[in-house]
Amino acid sequence: MAFSLAACGANGKNEGASPATSTAPASSASSQTPQASDSAGGKPQEVKTLSLLMFSDWYTPGWQALEKYIGDHASELGFKLDIQKIAGGSQGEQLLKTKIATNDLPDLLQNYGPKWMDQNADALDKLVDLTGLASYADYDESALDGVYKYKGKYYSVPIDATTLMGVFYNKKVFADLNLTVPKTWDEFLAVCEKIKEAGKTPVYYAGKDTWTLQTVPHFGFSQDIVQSGKSFPDFWQDMNTNKKHYADLTNFIDTIKKSKDLIDKGYVNKSYLSDTYDSAQQAIADGTAAMHVNGTWFIGEIIKKFPDKVNDIGAFPFPLNGDNYVNISPPGSLSVTTSAKDVDLAKRAVDFIASAQAQQIFAEAQPGIYLNKKVEVALSPAIADLNAALKDGKGILHWQGNGELYPYGSFDKFMQDYYAGGKTAEQVAQALDQETAKNAKAKDDPNWK
């Protein structure tokens, strides 16, 4: 929870900002472009291209705006980017691990952070030590330590906004049907029924993009942590030493079942296994669907594609028992790899990308909660709604990528198999335990002997 407090505090003066679809003028971010000049005559250096690899769903409107800025100012910066994208989810993770194993890495890598690179891919030695970058001065160390700073060294910088997970909803649909935001599961089902009776899709699932199938169960997992009475690290200490298991998490398993109850009751789109994340954005924006469960990057896509609809969309914590929590994920990590052809240039590029100037450009295209303390941005209504829950103490660190010591397999594929009838909810949890045990034993962890 130390991270979550730091994440909220990083932009405390903006948390109460009035909703807006536009932010500070571009001139505030680009008035002082750093010059990449040679030491002799102050002339711009040769522009070199740095390769950057990321998962396709991480190529957000913020990244697109920053990439354009870098391209437009390449002669001044001394570099430009060649952004390469691979599939998200377990498929992309496996491809990344293959690239790591074969030393087929780019100059720059957006990743889950040095802890994940170390524990899930045995690849900490593939990351360059970034300790000493000037841009770190714009961040609170408490927000970086343990996420971007690992084992005493900085291996990455934050990129993108802090992600908050909840239910995004079309406020006009709710208003037209005289609906209020539900706080409990029964209230949620009642809202879904009224939306269905009105001829609209209550909850939009985007099952073709399998990573989205993991979203609803996350909130049950959070309830297991809260109800354990333990801190996030202590809870995971038990999980990571074979004392507690996914199959023991009753709220987690129950919420897996609840996600299928929505399907069985006809509350999701009929073609949910073939519908996409893009189509979810369209459906919520135009009001043919009322709700979609995801992270705040969803609003970044709405801002880019449907800017006139941003103020029509709100958000709330996923309703289970009235004591509902918003899940928090730290921003992604951007690292320099040891495969970089010019490590010094790559470090300068990352230093610029982490700077207040570059982060402001990113934020203007994708408003959110940024760790860089100098970024100023007005929050969209949906992000402001979730941030309000955080300020009320209803935020908990997201479990995936922040707790587990060993890989747990393809949760998204297990969920897909569950919806298709190949697994029970209990077997989904057991599959996570089996994969965890396999990977722990491969590391000769004595707790699994």
Side-chain angles (χ1 to χ4, degrees), residues 134-155:
S135 58
Y136 284 130
D138 293 339
Y139 298 80
D140 286 327
E141 185 176 2
S142 61
L144 302 181
D145 197 10
V147 183
Y148 313 95
K149 182 182 180 181
Y150 180 67
K151 294 186 176 180
K153 296 180 180 180
Y154 288 95
Y155 288 101

Side-chain angles (χ1 to χ4, degrees), residues 62-364:
W63 250 126
Q64 294 161 33
L66 185 54
E67 180 189 23
K68 182 180 185 305
Y69 179 89
I70 291 172
D72 290 345
H73 297 82
S75 62
E76 301 153 36
L77 294 167
F79 71 93
K80 59 183 179 180
L81 298 177
D82 173 22
I83 297 182
Q84 303 161 7
K85 299 176 281 292
I86 58 177
S90 56
Q91 178 184 353
E93 290 178 17
Q94 188 55 51
L95 180 56
L96 175 57
K97 290 178 182 179
T98 300
K99 285 180 172 290
I100 290 169
T102 58
N103 276 320
D104 181 22
L105 287 173
D107 300 307
L108 308 179
L109 178 66
Q110 187 171 348
N111 57 86
Y112 293 116
K115 178 182 176 182
W116 186 91
M117 291 289 288
D118 183 24
Q119 297 178 349
N120 290 271
D122 292 320
L124 189 62
D125 61 346
K126 305 294 185 183
L127 303 183
V128 172
D129 182 1
L130 301 179
T131 303
L133 292 186
S135 58
Y136 284 130
D138 293 339
Y139 298 80
D140 286 327
E141 185 176 2
S142 61
L144 302 181
D145 197 10
V147 183
Y148 313 95
K149 182 182 180 181
Y150 180 67
K151 294 186 176 180
K153 296 180 180 180
Y154 288 95
Y155 288 101
S156 63
V157 298
I159 186 68
D160 212 327
T162 301
T163 297
L164 308 179
M165 292 190 66
V167 183
F168 297 89
Y169 73 103
N170 188 297
K171 295 191 292 184
K172 286 188 173 181
V173 172
F174 270 54
D176 290 344
L177 299 177
N178 295 314
L179 301 175
T180 57
V181 168
K183 299 260 176 61
T184 67
W185 180 247
D186 286 342
E187 290 176 359
F188 186 65
L189 292 180
V191 164
C192 287
E193 182 62 28
K194 290 180 180 178
I195 295 169
K196 180 183 177 183
E197 290 174 353
K200 295 179 180 290
T201 299
V203 183
Y204 201 98
Y205 279 9
K208 185 173 183 179
D209 294 306
T210 57
W211 62 270
T212 66
L213 298 179
Q214 306 169 81
T215 53
V216 172
H218 292 329
F219 300 95
F221 200 109
S222 294
Q223 288 294 328
D224 283 307
I225 297 175
V226 170
Q227 293 175 18
S228 74
K230 295 189 175 185
S231 68
F232 188 91
D234 287 346
F235 180 91
W236 275 102
Q237 177 65 17
D238 289 345
M239 293 286 289
N240 290 329
T241 54
N242 202 22
K243 295 176 183 176
K244 196 172 188 68
H245 308 92
Y246 294 98
D248 301 328
L249 306 183
T250 55
N251 289 290
F252 178 53
I253 293 172
D254 182 62
T255 314
I256 291 174
K257 294 177 180 178
K258 281 180 166 61
S259 72
K260 191 171 185 297
D261 285 345
L262 297 178
I263 298 170
D264 295 341
K265 293 178 183 294
Y267 293 157
V268 310
N269 37 310
K270 291 181 180 179
S271 53
Y272 70 95
L273 283 176
S274 60
D275 288 330
T276 66
Y277 178 52
D278 282 340
S279 60
Q281 298 156 27
Q282 176 74 61
I284 300 301
D286 63 24
T288 56
M291 296 176 284
H292 178 65
V293 184
N294 218 305
T296 43
W297 50 67
F298 181 77
I299 294 300
E301 297 293 342
I302 298 294
I303 290 171
K304 176 188 174 186
K305 298 174 184 176
F306 312 101
D308 59 323
K309 302 294 185 180
V310 174
N311 289 334
D312 295 341
I313 299 174
F316 55 88
F318 192 89
L320 289 173
N321 57 10
D323 185 30
N324 306 309
Y325 283 76
V326 172
N327 282 5
I328 309 164
S329 285
S333 287
L334 183 64
S335 303
V336 176
T337 78
T338 53
S339 296
K341 297 177 287 297
D342 187 335
V343 170
D344 288 339
L345 178 63
K347 289 173 70 173
R348 291 202 303 273
V350 167
D351 202 20
F352 170 72
I353 290 169
S355 71
Q357 177 187 351
Q359 290 291 297
Q360 184 70 44
I361 294 167
F362 201 107
E364 288 172 5

Side-chain angles (χ1 to χ4, degrees), residues 413-432:
K413 301 297 185 185
F414 299 154
M415 288 297 297
Q416 186 181 47
D417 197 17
Y418 168 57
Y419 291 150
K423 277 183 171 62
T424 64
E426 289 80 8
Q427 288 170 338
V428 169
Q430 291 164 9
L432 299 174

Side-chain angles (χ1 to χ4, degrees), residues 11-19 379 387 391:
N11 289 283
K13 62 184 177 180
N14 293 315
E15 287 174 357
S18 59
L379 301 180
N387 198 44
K391 292 194 292 182

